[in-house]
Amino acid sequence: MSHRTKRILVVEDDALVAADIADLLGTSNYEVVGPVGVVANALYLVKTEGCDAAILDINLGKDTSEPIAWALRDRDIPFIVVSGYAAHQQPAVFDAAPRLTKPIDPTALMNSLAQLTDAKK
């Protein structure tokens, strides 16, 4: 039985954090879509490239990833939220998603991602 590599969209506006997440995913046999730090670019990738799951930073400079979260929900694509903000400060679209605080614990991220992608087979 062949297992297709899971494609993970990474939305993070801090280039160093985005690179760290992408490296971690790559060494864990996930295919990275992105990373991107701009809402329009992420929405384009969701529409044209697709993904099996996503990792979303809520705060993207002067914007938030809320439109991306809605686009993912509309396509039934699960996502993990990473943020330095408290849960009560986030828009409601993020409430049901697994949430990790920054700085990101790599083990917690990989465990959450595995649960998310294993649940969606």
Side-chain angles (χ1 to χ4, degrees):
M1 172 187 287
S2 73
H3 294 282
R4 185 176 66 80
T5 301
K6 302 285 185 181
R7 297 170 44 85
I8 310 300
L9 172 66
V10 177
V11 180
E12 169 62 62
D13 65 332
D14 181 309
L16 184 57
V17 174
D20 286 346
I21 293 171
D23 287 346
L24 179 62
L25 294 174
T27 60
S28 299
N29 297 317
Y30 288 100
E31 181 180 339
V32 177
V33 179
V36 294
V38 177
V39 172
N41 295 350
L43 290 172
Y44 177 79
L45 288 176
V46 169
K47 182 178 179 181
T48 62
E49 300 290 323
C51 59
D52 296 297
I55 299 169
L56 303 180
D57 179 12
I58 293 177
N59 185 9
L60 302 175
K62 63 180 173 138
D63 293 320
T64 73
S65 60
E66 185 174 5
I68 304 159
W70 283 114
L72 293 168
R73 275 189 50 180
D74 289 347
R75 290 167 173 78
D76 196 30
I77 299 170
F79 57 88
I80 296 171
V81 175
V82 293
S83 180
Y85 291 97
H88 72 276
Q89 295 174 302
Q90 67 188 24
V93 69
F94 298 107
D95 288 348
R99 185 176 193 288
L100 299 172
T101 57
K102 289 182 177 181
I104 300 167
D105 174 347
T107 301
L109 177 62
M110 297 316 297
N111 288 340
S112 292
L113 191 57
Q115 289 176 345
L116 209 62
T117 57
D118 287 348
K120 182 168 173 84
K121 288 190 177 184

